[in-house]
Amino acid sequence: MSRFFWQLISSFNTEDDVNKRSEKSGIYGDTRSRVLYEPPAEVPHMIDFVFVHDARSVPDEEWGSSKPGDGEWPIYLSKMFPQARILIFQYDTSWVTSLDELVNPDRVLGTLEQFVQFLEDHDADPSPPFIVFAHGFGGLLYEQAVVQSQQSSEAPNPAAVFQRRAHTAFLFGTPHFGAGIAEWAIMLATRYGLCCAKTPQDQDWSELEDQMAKIAEMQTEFQQIIKSEYIVKTVGCFPTSSEPQNGLILSSEWAVLPEFMSIAVDSCYSSLTKLSPDDEPFKTIALIIPSLARELIQAQEISMMPKLSTSPAPSPNPPLKFVSSLASSISDNLATSVFDGKARNFLPGSCLFEILTTDAIRKELGLDSGGLTLENKDIVYHIRESARKLFATMVYSGISGRCLYEVMKSAENKYFGDSKLPVRDINSLWLSWPDIFKHLDTVEVNRFCENQWIFQAQGIDTAVFTIYRLSANHILPFISKISIKSDIYHRFVRYEMHRSYLFLVRMSTYLNRSSRYCDGEYSILTFLRQKVTGKMPPTTLSW
Protein backbone atom coordinates (compact mmCIF):
# COMPACT_ATOMS: atom_id res chain seq x y z
CA MET A 1 0.00 0.00 0.00
CA SER A 2 2.93 2.33 0.61
CA ARG A 3 3.52 2.82 -3.11
CA PHE A 4 0.22 4.69 -3.29
CA PHE A 5 1.18 7.29 -0.69
CA TRP A 6 -0.07 10.76 -1.35
CA GLN A 7 1.48 13.27 -3.64
CA LEU A 8 0.24 16.61 -4.87
CA ILE A 9 -0.11 15.92 -8.56
CA SER A 10 1.63 18.43 -10.77
CA SER A 11 -1.27 19.03 -13.14
CA PHE A 12 -4.97 19.20 -12.33
CA ASN A 13 -7.50 17.06 -14.14
CA THR A 14 -10.00 18.94 -16.25
CA GLU A 15 -13.54 19.68 -15.10
CA ASP A 16 -14.81 17.14 -17.66
CA ASP A 17 -12.65 14.45 -16.08
CA VAL A 18 -14.17 15.19 -12.68
CA ASN A 19 -17.68 15.13 -14.10
CA LYS A 20 -17.02 11.76 -15.76
CA ARG A 21 -15.77 10.31 -12.49
CA SER A 22 -18.79 11.72 -10.69
CA GLU A 23 -21.13 10.01 -13.15
CA LYS A 24 -19.29 6.72 -12.66
CA SER A 25 -19.46 6.95 -8.88
CA GLY A 26 -23.19 7.54 -8.89
CA ILE A 27 -23.51 10.84 -7.04
CA TYR A 28 -26.86 10.95 -5.35
CA GLY A 29 -29.31 13.51 -6.66
CA ASP A 30 -31.06 14.18 -3.35
CA THR A 31 -30.13 16.73 -0.73
CA ARG A 32 -29.39 14.25 2.03
CA SER A 33 -26.19 12.37 2.92
CA ARG A 34 -24.42 11.28 -0.25
CA VAL A 35 -21.23 10.27 -2.00
CA LEU A 36 -19.92 13.35 -3.79
CA TYR A 37 -17.02 11.55 -5.46
CA GLU A 38 -15.71 8.00 -5.56
CA PRO A 39 -12.41 6.91 -7.09
CA PRO A 40 -12.84 5.06 -10.38
CA ALA A 41 -11.99 1.36 -10.50
CA GLU A 42 -8.46 1.90 -11.80
CA VAL A 43 -7.54 4.23 -8.91
CA PRO A 44 -6.94 2.72 -5.43
CA HIS A 45 -9.34 3.91 -2.73
CA MET A 46 -6.94 5.06 0.00
CA ILE A 47 -8.86 7.42 2.27
CA ASP A 48 -12.23 9.12 2.87
CA PHE A 49 -12.94 12.83 3.20
CA VAL A 50 -16.13 13.24 5.26
CA PHE A 51 -17.90 16.63 5.39
CA VAL A 52 -20.25 17.44 8.29
CA HIS A 53 -22.23 20.69 8.33
CA ASP A 54 -23.19 23.01 11.17
CA ALA A 55 -26.64 23.11 12.77
CA ARG A 56 -28.02 25.20 9.92
CA SER A 57 -31.43 25.27 8.28
CA VAL A 58 -30.16 24.61 4.72
CA PRO A 59 -27.27 22.11 4.91
CA ASP A 60 -26.78 22.14 1.14
CA GLU A 61 -25.38 25.67 1.38
CA GLU A 62 -22.64 24.70 3.84
CA TRP A 63 -19.85 23.75 1.42
CA GLY A 64 -20.59 26.20 -1.37
CA SER A 65 -17.80 28.07 -3.11
CA SER A 66 -16.82 31.61 -2.14
CA LYS A 67 -17.28 32.37 -5.85
CA PRO A 68 -20.91 32.31 -7.06
CA GLY A 69 -21.70 29.56 -9.52
CA ASP A 70 -18.72 27.33 -8.68
CA GLY A 71 -20.73 24.68 -6.85
CA GLU A 72 -19.41 22.78 -3.82
CA TRP A 73 -15.68 23.24 -3.23
CA PRO A 74 -15.01 19.71 -1.87
CA ILE A 75 -15.26 18.43 -5.47
CA TYR A 76 -12.03 20.29 -6.23
CA LEU A 77 -10.22 18.06 -3.74
CA SER A 78 -10.95 15.12 -6.04
CA LYS A 79 -8.81 16.80 -8.69
CA MET A 80 -5.82 16.89 -6.38
CA PHE A 81 -6.49 13.65 -4.49
CA PRO A 82 -8.21 11.19 -6.85
CA GLN A 83 -7.58 8.33 -4.37
CA ALA A 84 -9.98 9.90 -1.86
CA ARG A 85 -13.67 9.18 -1.67
CA ILE A 86 -15.65 12.31 -0.72
CA LEU A 87 -18.71 11.85 1.50
CA ILE A 88 -21.27 14.46 2.53
CA PHE A 89 -23.09 13.69 5.77
CA GLN A 90 -26.29 15.62 6.40
CA TYR A 91 -28.53 15.36 9.43
CA ASP A 92 -31.96 16.69 10.30
CA THR A 93 -31.81 20.17 11.86
CA SER A 94 -35.53 20.75 12.37
CA TRP A 95 -34.84 20.57 16.12
CA VAL A 96 -33.03 23.93 16.01
CA THR A 97 -35.96 25.86 17.48
CA SER A 98 -34.44 27.52 20.55
CA LEU A 99 -31.23 28.51 22.26
CA ASP A 100 -31.86 25.65 24.68
CA GLU A 101 -31.68 23.08 21.86
CA LEU A 102 -28.43 24.47 20.46
CA VAL A 103 -26.56 23.71 23.71
CA ASN A 104 -28.39 20.47 24.48
CA PRO A 105 -25.83 17.63 24.81
CA ASP A 106 -28.55 15.09 24.03
CA ARG A 107 -28.77 16.56 20.53
CA VAL A 108 -25.05 15.90 20.10
CA LEU A 109 -25.45 12.27 21.23
CA GLY A 110 -28.56 11.69 19.12
CA THR A 111 -27.02 13.11 15.96
CA LEU A 112 -23.80 11.22 16.63
CA GLU A 113 -25.69 7.93 16.29
CA GLN A 114 -26.68 8.96 12.77
CA PHE A 115 -23.11 10.02 11.95
CA VAL A 116 -21.60 6.75 13.17
CA GLN A 117 -24.19 4.75 11.24
CA PHE A 118 -23.38 6.75 8.10
CA LEU A 119 -19.68 5.88 8.46
CA GLU A 120 -20.50 2.22 9.08
CA ASP A 121 -22.73 2.11 6.00
CA HIS A 122 -19.93 3.57 3.87
CA ASP A 123 -17.09 1.46 5.25
CA ALA A 124 -14.95 -0.54 2.84
CA ASP A 125 -12.78 -3.63 2.92
CA PRO A 126 -10.12 -2.98 4.01
CA SER A 127 -11.31 -0.06 6.09
CA PRO A 128 -9.70 3.19 4.91
CA PRO A 129 -8.74 5.99 7.29
CA PHE A 130 -10.74 9.19 7.06
CA ILE A 131 -10.45 12.95 7.53
CA VAL A 132 -13.49 14.81 8.85
CA PHE A 133 -14.19 18.37 7.70
CA ALA A 134 -16.69 19.72 10.22
CA HIS A 135 -18.26 23.12 10.88
CA GLY A 136 -19.50 24.22 14.31
CA PHE A 137 -21.91 21.59 15.61
CA GLY A 138 -20.33 19.07 13.25
CA GLY A 139 -17.08 19.51 15.16
CA LEU A 140 -18.90 18.75 18.42
CA LEU A 141 -20.03 15.48 16.82
CA TYR A 142 -16.44 14.57 15.94
CA GLU A 143 -15.12 15.39 19.42
CA GLN A 144 -17.94 13.46 21.08
CA ALA A 145 -17.20 10.47 18.82
CA VAL A 146 -13.51 10.50 19.79
CA VAL A 147 -14.41 10.59 23.48
CA GLN A 148 -17.02 7.87 23.13
CA SER A 149 -14.65 5.62 21.20
CA GLN A 150 -12.19 5.67 24.12
CA GLN A 151 -14.70 4.63 26.75
CA SER A 152 -14.21 1.10 28.08
CA SER A 153 -17.28 -1.03 28.52
CA GLU A 154 -18.29 -4.67 28.16
CA ALA A 155 -21.07 -3.61 25.81
CA PRO A 156 -20.20 -2.94 22.13
CA ASN A 157 -18.79 0.53 21.66
CA PRO A 158 -21.29 2.64 19.66
CA ALA A 159 -18.41 4.63 18.17
CA ALA A 160 -16.27 1.61 17.34
CA VAL A 161 -15.66 2.89 13.81
CA PHE A 162 -13.46 5.58 15.39
CA GLN A 163 -11.38 2.81 16.97
CA ARG A 164 -11.21 0.67 13.85
CA ARG A 165 -10.26 3.41 11.43
CA ALA A 166 -7.49 6.02 11.80
CA HIS A 167 -8.84 9.54 11.59
CA THR A 168 -8.28 13.24 12.14
CA ALA A 169 -10.24 16.41 11.42
CA PHE A 170 -10.32 19.95 10.11
CA LEU A 171 -12.65 21.70 12.56
CA PHE A 172 -14.10 24.94 11.20
CA GLY A 173 -15.20 27.20 14.04
CA THR A 174 -15.98 24.45 16.54
CA PRO A 175 -16.65 26.24 19.86
CA HIS A 176 -14.84 25.08 22.98
CA PHE A 177 -15.78 25.32 26.63
CA GLY A 178 -18.22 27.71 28.27
CA ALA A 179 -17.31 31.05 26.68
CA GLY A 180 -16.87 29.62 23.19
CA ILE A 181 -20.10 27.62 23.31
CA ALA A 182 -22.00 30.67 24.56
CA GLU A 183 -20.63 32.89 21.77
CA TRP A 184 -21.40 30.27 19.14
CA ALA A 185 -24.95 29.66 20.40
CA ILE A 186 -25.83 33.37 20.39
CA MET A 187 -24.43 33.76 16.86
CA LEU A 188 -26.56 30.89 15.54
CA ALA A 189 -29.66 31.89 17.49
CA THR A 190 -29.42 35.46 16.15
CA ARG A 191 -28.89 34.21 12.62
CA TYR A 192 -32.02 32.02 12.71
CA GLY A 193 -34.19 34.52 14.56
CA LEU A 194 -34.41 32.55 17.80
CA CYS A 195 -35.14 34.31 21.07
CA CYS A 196 -31.91 35.36 22.77
CA ALA A 197 -29.96 38.37 24.05
CA LYS A 198 -27.75 40.40 21.75
CA THR A 199 -24.52 39.24 23.38
CA PRO A 200 -23.47 36.24 25.50
CA GLN A 201 -22.81 38.61 28.39
CA ASP A 202 -26.43 39.82 28.35
CA GLN A 203 -27.94 36.34 28.10
CA ASP A 204 -29.31 34.58 31.20
CA TRP A 205 -27.58 31.19 31.16
CA SER A 206 -28.70 30.04 34.60
CA GLU A 207 -31.09 27.36 33.26
CA LEU A 208 -28.59 26.14 30.67
CA GLU A 209 -25.48 25.92 32.83
CA ASP A 210 -25.77 22.15 33.38
CA GLN A 211 -26.16 21.44 29.66
CA MET A 212 -23.20 23.60 28.69
CA ALA A 213 -21.10 22.10 31.49
CA LYS A 214 -21.68 18.59 30.07
CA ILE A 215 -20.44 19.68 26.63
CA ALA A 216 -17.44 21.41 28.21
CA GLU A 217 -16.68 18.28 30.25
CA MET A 218 -16.76 16.19 27.08
CA GLN A 219 -14.34 18.61 25.42
CA THR A 220 -11.99 18.41 28.40
CA GLU A 221 -11.89 14.63 27.91
CA PHE A 222 -11.29 15.13 24.19
CA GLN A 223 -8.37 17.45 24.93
CA GLN A 224 -6.82 14.92 27.30
CA ILE A 225 -7.17 12.17 24.69
CA ILE A 226 -5.41 14.11 21.95
CA LYS A 227 -2.65 14.96 24.43
CA SER A 228 -2.00 11.40 25.55
CA GLU A 229 -3.06 9.16 22.69
CA TYR A 230 -1.43 8.89 19.27
CA ILE A 231 -3.81 10.75 17.03
CA VAL A 232 -2.71 12.59 13.92
CA LYS A 233 -2.78 16.34 14.51
CA THR A 234 -6.21 18.00 14.42
CA VAL A 235 -6.51 21.29 12.51
CA GLY A 236 -8.60 24.18 13.83
CA CYS A 237 -9.88 26.84 11.41
CA PHE A 238 -11.08 30.12 12.87
CA PRO A 239 -12.70 33.29 11.44
CA THR A 240 -11.00 36.67 11.52
CA SER A 241 -14.13 38.78 10.89
CA SER A 242 -17.21 39.40 13.01
CA GLU A 243 -20.78 38.44 12.11
CA PRO A 244 -22.56 41.22 10.18
CA GLN A 245 -25.81 40.72 12.13
CA ASN A 246 -24.43 41.24 15.64
CA GLY A 247 -20.69 41.92 15.48
CA LEU A 248 -19.82 38.71 17.34
CA ILE A 249 -16.79 36.59 16.45
CA LEU A 250 -15.66 33.12 17.45
CA SER A 251 -12.04 33.99 18.18
CA SER A 252 -9.11 31.61 17.86
CA GLU A 253 -8.89 31.07 21.64
CA TRP A 254 -12.33 29.39 21.50
CA ALA A 255 -12.03 27.68 18.11
CA VAL A 256 -8.47 26.32 18.37
CA LEU A 257 -7.21 24.16 21.23
CA PRO A 258 -3.48 24.44 22.07
CA GLU A 259 -2.95 20.93 20.65
CA PHE A 260 -4.35 21.90 17.22
CA MET A 261 -2.66 23.23 14.15
CA SER A 262 -4.43 26.47 13.21
CA ILE A 263 -5.62 28.11 10.00
CA ALA A 264 -6.97 31.66 9.92
CA VAL A 265 -9.83 32.22 7.45
CA ASP A 266 -10.57 35.77 6.36
CA SER A 267 -14.33 35.59 6.82
CA CYS A 268 -17.02 35.60 9.48
CA TYR A 269 -18.18 32.43 11.20
CA SER A 270 -21.25 31.89 9.02
CA SER A 271 -19.12 32.03 5.84
CA LEU A 272 -16.19 30.08 7.27
CA THR A 273 -16.73 27.09 4.97
CA LYS A 274 -17.20 29.12 1.79
CA LEU A 275 -13.94 28.46 -0.04
CA SER A 276 -12.55 28.23 -3.54
CA PRO A 277 -9.25 26.90 -4.94
CA ASP A 278 -7.94 30.47 -5.24
CA ASP A 279 -8.38 31.19 -1.51
CA GLU A 280 -5.35 30.98 0.77
CA PRO A 281 -7.13 28.77 3.36
CA PHE A 282 -7.99 26.26 0.62
CA LYS A 283 -4.36 26.24 -0.54
CA THR A 284 -3.19 25.71 3.04
CA ILE A 285 -5.60 22.80 3.51
CA ALA A 286 -4.40 21.27 0.24
CA LEU A 287 -0.79 21.57 1.44
CA ILE A 288 -1.49 19.93 4.79
CA ILE A 289 -3.68 17.05 3.58
CA PRO A 290 -0.91 14.91 1.97
CA SER A 291 1.13 14.63 5.18
CA LEU A 292 -1.96 13.97 7.30
CA ALA A 293 -3.12 11.32 4.85
CA ARG A 294 0.27 9.60 4.81
CA GLU A 295 0.35 9.45 8.61
CA LEU A 296 -3.22 8.12 8.75
CA ILE A 297 -2.49 5.42 6.18
CA GLN A 298 0.60 4.35 8.11
CA ALA A 299 -1.38 4.27 11.38
CA GLN A 300 -4.15 2.27 9.69
CA GLU A 301 -1.67 -0.28 8.34
CA ILE A 302 -0.14 -0.75 11.79
CA SER A 303 -3.56 -1.19 13.42
CA MET A 304 -4.40 -3.91 10.87
CA MET A 305 -1.18 -5.90 11.44
CA PRO A 306 -1.87 -9.41 12.76
CA LYS A 307 -1.08 -9.75 16.45
CA LEU A 308 1.39 -12.62 16.93
CA SER A 309 1.45 -12.38 20.70
CA THR A 310 -0.46 -10.85 23.58
CA SER A 311 2.06 -8.03 23.93
CA PRO A 312 0.82 -4.51 23.13
CA ALA A 313 0.85 -3.47 19.49
CA PRO A 314 3.71 -1.14 18.54
CA SER A 315 2.95 2.53 18.82
CA PRO A 316 2.59 4.23 15.42
CA ASN A 317 4.51 7.18 16.82
CA PRO A 318 7.18 5.87 19.23
CA PRO A 319 8.89 8.34 21.55
CA LEU A 320 11.78 10.16 19.97
CA LYS A 321 15.13 8.58 20.79
CA PHE A 322 18.28 10.65 20.70
CA VAL A 323 20.40 8.55 18.42
CA SER A 324 22.86 11.24 17.35
CA SER A 325 25.71 12.43 19.57
CA LEU A 326 24.65 16.07 19.07
CA ALA A 327 21.08 15.37 20.14
CA SER A 328 22.43 13.54 23.17
CA SER A 329 24.64 16.51 24.05
CA ILE A 330 21.66 18.84 23.82
CA SER A 331 19.61 16.55 26.03
CA ASP A 332 22.41 16.27 28.61
CA ASN A 333 22.80 20.06 28.87
CA LEU A 334 19.15 21.01 29.27
CA ALA A 335 18.22 23.15 32.24
CA THR A 336 14.78 23.39 33.83
CA SER A 337 12.69 26.52 34.25
CA VAL A 338 10.40 26.57 37.28
CA PHE A 339 8.66 29.84 36.48
CA ASP A 340 4.92 29.93 37.17
CA GLY A 341 5.00 26.44 38.65
CA LYS A 342 5.59 24.78 35.28
CA ALA A 343 8.78 22.76 34.87
CA ARG A 344 9.96 23.20 31.27
CA ASN A 345 13.32 22.32 29.79
CA PHE A 346 15.47 24.80 27.89
CA LEU A 347 19.00 24.89 26.52
CA PRO A 348 21.03 27.75 28.02
CA GLY A 349 22.32 30.11 25.36
CA SER A 350 25.98 29.55 26.16
CA CYS A 351 25.62 25.80 25.69
CA LEU A 352 24.48 26.27 22.11
CA PHE A 353 27.87 27.73 21.20
CA GLU A 354 29.79 25.10 23.15
CA ILE A 355 27.91 22.16 21.60
CA LEU A 356 27.53 23.35 18.01
CA THR A 357 31.13 23.26 16.94
CA THR A 358 32.06 23.18 13.28
CA ASP A 359 33.05 19.52 13.59
CA ALA A 360 29.72 18.63 15.23
CA ILE A 361 27.79 20.41 12.47
CA ARG A 362 29.76 18.64 9.74
CA LYS A 363 29.25 15.27 11.41
CA GLU A 364 25.48 15.69 11.68
CA LEU A 365 25.29 16.68 8.02
CA GLY A 366 27.35 13.66 7.00
CA LEU A 367 30.26 15.84 5.89
CA ASP A 368 32.81 14.63 8.44
CA SER A 369 35.00 12.78 5.94
CA GLY A 370 36.90 14.23 3.00
CA GLY A 371 37.10 17.82 1.86
CA LEU A 372 34.15 20.20 1.73
CA THR A 373 32.80 21.55 -1.52
CA LEU A 374 32.14 25.27 -1.76
CA GLU A 375 28.39 24.61 -1.45
CA ASN A 376 28.87 22.55 1.71
CA LYS A 377 31.14 25.19 3.21
CA ASP A 378 28.37 27.75 2.66
CA ILE A 379 25.86 25.52 4.48
CA VAL A 380 28.16 25.01 7.48
CA TYR A 381 28.95 28.73 7.59
CA HIS A 382 25.24 29.63 7.45
CA ILE A 383 24.49 27.31 10.37
CA ARG A 384 27.41 28.54 12.46
CA GLU A 385 26.74 32.23 11.87
CA SER A 386 22.96 32.52 11.35
CA ALA A 387 21.09 29.30 12.06
CA ARG A 388 22.38 27.61 15.21
CA LYS A 389 18.95 27.46 16.84
CA LEU A 390 17.31 26.29 13.63
CA PHE A 391 19.87 23.51 13.21
CA ALA A 392 19.71 22.44 16.86
CA THR A 393 15.91 22.33 16.75
CA MET A 394 15.99 20.13 13.65
CA VAL A 395 18.50 17.72 15.21
CA TYR A 396 16.64 17.59 18.54
CA SER A 397 13.40 16.89 16.64
CA GLY A 398 14.90 13.78 15.10
CA ILE A 399 15.66 15.17 11.63
CA SER A 400 18.84 13.52 10.42
CA GLY A 401 20.79 12.20 7.46
CA ARG A 402 19.96 13.32 3.96
CA CYS A 403 16.72 14.98 5.10
CA LEU A 404 18.64 17.24 7.52
CA TYR A 405 21.15 18.11 4.82
CA GLU A 406 18.41 19.04 2.30
CA VAL A 407 16.56 21.16 4.88
CA MET A 408 19.67 23.14 5.82
CA LYS A 409 20.72 23.44 2.18
CA SER A 410 17.33 24.96 1.36
CA ALA A 411 17.55 27.19 4.45
CA GLU A 412 20.93 28.51 3.29
CA ASN A 413 19.59 29.16 -0.21
CA LYS A 414 16.56 31.03 1.15
CA TYR A 415 18.46 32.89 3.91
CA PHE A 416 16.26 31.23 6.53
CA GLY A 417 17.84 31.30 9.96
CA ASP A 418 17.41 32.09 13.63
CA SER A 419 16.02 35.57 12.85
CA LYS A 420 12.86 33.87 11.54
CA LEU A 421 12.33 32.02 14.81
CA PRO A 422 10.26 31.36 16.76
CA VAL A 423 7.55 30.37 14.30
CA ARG A 424 4.26 31.29 15.91
CA ASP A 425 1.95 30.06 13.13
CA ILE A 426 2.59 26.76 11.39
CA ASN A 427 0.75 28.07 8.32
CA SER A 428 3.62 30.45 7.64
CA LEU A 429 5.96 27.48 7.24
CA TRP A 430 3.79 25.84 4.61
CA LEU A 431 3.03 29.06 2.75
CA SER A 432 6.15 31.21 3.09
CA TRP A 433 8.89 28.56 3.16
CA PRO A 434 7.62 25.54 1.22
CA ASP A 435 11.05 24.80 -0.29
CA ILE A 436 12.46 24.23 3.20
CA PHE A 437 9.69 22.39 4.99
CA LYS A 438 8.57 20.25 2.05
CA HIS A 439 11.24 17.79 3.19
CA LEU A 440 9.34 17.14 6.46
CA ASP A 441 6.00 15.48 7.09
CA THR A 442 3.35 16.98 9.37
CA VAL A 443 4.49 15.08 12.48
CA GLU A 444 8.05 16.32 11.99
CA VAL A 445 6.91 19.92 11.37
CA ASN A 446 4.78 19.90 14.51
CA ARG A 447 7.63 18.37 16.50
CA PHE A 448 9.87 21.17 15.20
CA CYS A 449 7.33 23.83 16.23
CA GLU A 450 7.05 22.36 19.72
CA ASN A 451 10.79 21.87 20.26
CA GLN A 452 11.84 25.30 18.96
CA TRP A 453 10.92 26.88 22.30
CA ILE A 454 13.64 24.86 24.05
CA PHE A 455 16.16 27.06 22.22
CA GLN A 456 14.20 30.32 22.60
CA ALA A 457 14.46 30.94 26.36
CA GLN A 458 14.02 34.66 26.90
CA GLY A 459 16.37 36.52 29.20
CA ILE A 460 15.71 40.00 30.55
CA ASP A 461 18.02 42.92 29.87
CA THR A 462 18.15 45.05 33.00
CA ALA A 463 20.30 47.73 31.38
CA VAL A 464 17.46 49.36 29.49
CA PHE A 465 13.71 49.45 29.87
CA THR A 466 12.29 47.01 27.34
CA ILE A 467 8.80 45.70 26.63
CA TYR A 468 9.01 41.99 25.84
CA ARG A 469 6.24 40.61 23.65
CA LEU A 470 6.21 36.94 24.62
CA SER A 471 3.85 34.15 23.71
CA ALA A 472 2.59 31.60 26.22
CA ASN A 473 5.15 29.16 24.79
CA HIS A 474 8.18 31.26 25.64
CA ILE A 475 10.32 29.86 28.46
CA LEU A 476 11.78 32.18 31.08
CA PRO A 477 15.13 30.84 32.37
CA PHE A 478 14.30 31.04 36.09
CA ILE A 479 15.90 27.92 37.56
CA SER A 480 14.76 28.22 41.17
CA LYS A 481 12.30 30.11 43.33
CA ILE A 482 14.16 31.79 46.16
CA SER A 483 11.44 33.45 48.21
CA ILE A 484 7.87 34.70 48.24
CA LYS A 485 6.68 37.74 50.19
CA SER A 486 3.15 39.07 50.37
CA ASP A 487 1.25 41.92 51.91
CA ILE A 488 -2.34 43.03 51.62
CA TYR A 489 -1.90 44.49 48.14
CA HIS A 490 1.15 42.80 46.65
CA ARG A 491 2.88 39.47 46.14
CA PHE A 492 6.63 39.42 45.47
CA VAL A 493 8.31 36.33 44.05
CA ARG A 494 12.08 36.17 43.88
CA TYR A 495 13.67 33.87 41.29
CA GLU A 496 17.19 32.86 40.43
CA MET A 497 17.98 33.31 36.74
CA HIS A 498 20.35 31.00 34.90
CA ARG A 499 23.70 32.79 34.68
CA SER A 500 23.77 32.45 30.86
CA TYR A 501 20.95 35.02 30.69
CA LEU A 502 22.36 37.71 32.93
CA PHE A 503 22.95 40.31 30.28
CA LEU A 504 25.77 42.79 30.13
CA VAL A 505 24.66 45.80 32.16
CA ARG A 506 26.13 49.19 31.53
CA MET A 507 26.53 51.09 34.83
CA SER A 508 28.63 54.00 33.70
CA THR A 509 26.80 56.52 35.86
CA TYR A 510 27.39 54.62 39.08
CA LEU A 511 30.50 52.55 38.43
CA ASN A 512 33.05 54.80 36.77
CA ARG A 513 31.91 53.91 33.21
CA SER A 514 32.88 50.25 33.62
CA SER A 515 30.64 47.46 32.33
CA ARG A 516 29.68 44.71 34.71
CA TYR A 517 27.26 41.86 35.16
CA CYS A 518 25.74 40.14 38.17
CA ASP A 519 26.64 36.60 39.27
CA GLY A 520 23.87 34.03 38.89
CA GLU A 521 23.20 33.66 42.62
CA TYR A 522 21.35 36.99 42.69
CA SER A 523 17.76 37.43 41.61
CA ILE A 524 16.60 39.98 39.07
CA LEU A 525 14.79 42.01 41.72
CA THR A 526 17.90 42.14 43.91
CA PHE A 527 20.01 43.17 40.95
CA LEU A 528 17.59 45.94 39.96
CA ARG A 529 17.67 47.29 43.50
CA GLN A 530 21.48 47.31 43.51
CA LYS A 531 21.55 48.97 40.13
CA VAL A 532 19.39 51.83 41.36
CA THR A 533 21.41 52.39 44.58
CA GLY A 534 24.76 51.92 42.90
CA LYS A 535 25.74 49.16 45.32
CA MET A 536 27.00 46.00 43.69
CA PRO A 537 27.73 42.77 45.59
CA PRO A 538 31.35 41.83 46.27
CA THR A 539 31.02 38.74 43.99
CA THR A 540 30.30 40.92 40.95
CA LEU A 541 32.79 40.19 38.19
CA SER A 542 34.37 42.73 35.89
CA TRP A 543 33.63 42.20 32.22
Side-chain angles (χ1 to χ4, degrees), residues 167-239:
H167 55 84
T168 190
F170 287 83
L171 302 183
F172 293 80
T174 294
H176 291 95
F177 309 120
I181 294 170
E183 192 87 7
W184 167 77
I186 293 295
M187 285 194 298
L188 258 64
T190 302
R191 183 178 179 187
Y192 299 128
L194 305 179
C195 182
C196 67
K198 291 183 177 180
T199 67
Q201 293 76 18
D202 296 333
Q203 179 66 38
D204 180 7
W205 299 102
S206 57
E207 296 183 1
L208 305 178
E209 285 181 358
D210 290 342
Q211 295 186 176
M212 296 172 67
K214 288 182 180 179
I215 297 177
E217 182 179 352
M218 175 273 291
Q219 292 184 315
T220 299
E221 291 184 52
F222 172 77
Q223 188 175 19
Q224 292 303 315
I225 289 171
I226 63 177
K227 280 182 179 179
S228 59
E229 300 290 332
Y230 173 74
I231 291 182
V232 178
K233 205 77 168 180
T234 305
V235 182
C237 306
F238 63 94

Side-chain angles (χ1 to χ4, degrees), residues 6 8-9 11-16 18-19 21-22 27 36-37 49 51 63-84 86 88 133 274-279 282-283 285-286 289:
W6 287 76
L8 279 172
I9 59 178
S11 59
F12 289 142
N13 299 311
T14 65
E15 192 70 34
D16 290 339
V18 176
N19 291 336
R21 290 200 207 106
S22 301
I27 293 180
L36 185 64
Y37 166 82
F49 296 162
F51 289 79
W63 308 106
S65 172
S66 59
K67 294 184 177 180
D70 275 4
E72 294 177 305
W73 63 264
I75 195 63
Y76 289 98
L77 293 178
S78 67
K79 299 180 180 183
M80 293 178 279
F81 311 112
Q83 306 99 323
I86 301 177
I88 306 292
F133 297 77
K274 303 289 187 182
L275 301 176
S276 78
D278 295 331
D279 296 335
F282 182 94
K283 294 177 182 178
I285 290 171
I289 283 177

Side-chain angles (χ1 to χ4, degrees), residues 187-376:
M187 285 194 298
L188 258 64
T190 302
R191 183 178 179 187
Y192 299 128
L194 305 179
C195 182
C196 67
K198 291 183 177 180
T199 67
Q201 293 76 18
D202 296 333
Q203 179 66 38
D204 180 7
W205 299 102
S206 57
E207 296 183 1
L208 305 178
E209 285 181 358
D210 290 342
Q211 295 186 176
M212 296 172 67
K214 288 182 180 179
I215 297 177
E217 182 179 352
M218 175 273 291
Q219 292 184 315
T220 299
E221 291 184 52
F222 172 77
Q223 188 175 19
Q224 292 303 315
I225 289 171
I226 63 177
K227 280 182 179 179
S228 59
E229 300 290 332
Y230 173 74
I231 291 182
V232 178
K233 205 77 168 180
T234 305
V235 182
C237 306
F238 63 94
T240 59
S241 303
S242 57
E243 290 291 298
Q245 299 98 328
N246 49 25
L248 299 179
I249 183 172
L250 189 70
S251 65
S252 60
E253 63 182 306
W254 298 326
V256 181
L257 294 177
E259 295 76 19
F260 288 5
M261 288 189 284
S262 64
I263 298 176
V265 182
D266 187 19
S267 73
C268 61
Y269 172 84
S270 56
S271 301
L272 194 58
T273 55
K274 303 289 187 182
L275 301 176
S276 78
D278 295 331
D279 296 335
E280 288 302 323
F282 182 94
K283 294 177 182 178
T284 303
I285 290 171
L287 282 171
I288 294 174
I289 283 177
S291 293
L292 295 181
R294 182 171 64 250
E295 294 157 25
L296 289 172
I297 292 170
Q298 290 173 336
Q300 188 72 21
E301 287 180 331
I302 290 174
S303 69
M304 295 173 67
M305 291 173 59
K307 296 178 176 58
L308 303 179
S309 68
T310 57
S311 59
S315 169
N317 187 25
L320 179 63
K321 295 181 179 179
F322 300 111
V323 295
S324 76
S325 58
L326 181 56
S328 297
S329 296
I330 293 173
S331 181
D332 292 341
N333 283 276
L334 293 179
T336 302
S337 169
V338 298
F339 181 70
D340 202 24
K342 300 176 182 177
R344 299 177 63 192
N345 291 333
F346 67 94
L347 184 72
S350 59
C351 293
L352 197 59
F353 288 86
E354 296 171 4
I355 294 173
L356 282 184
T357 63
T358 299
D359 288 342
I361 294 171
R362 291 172 59 179
K363 184 176 180 181
E364 287 298 319
L365 293 174
L367 307 175
D368 52 327
S369 60
L372 292 180
T373 65
L374 181 60
E375 180 182 56
N376 290 340

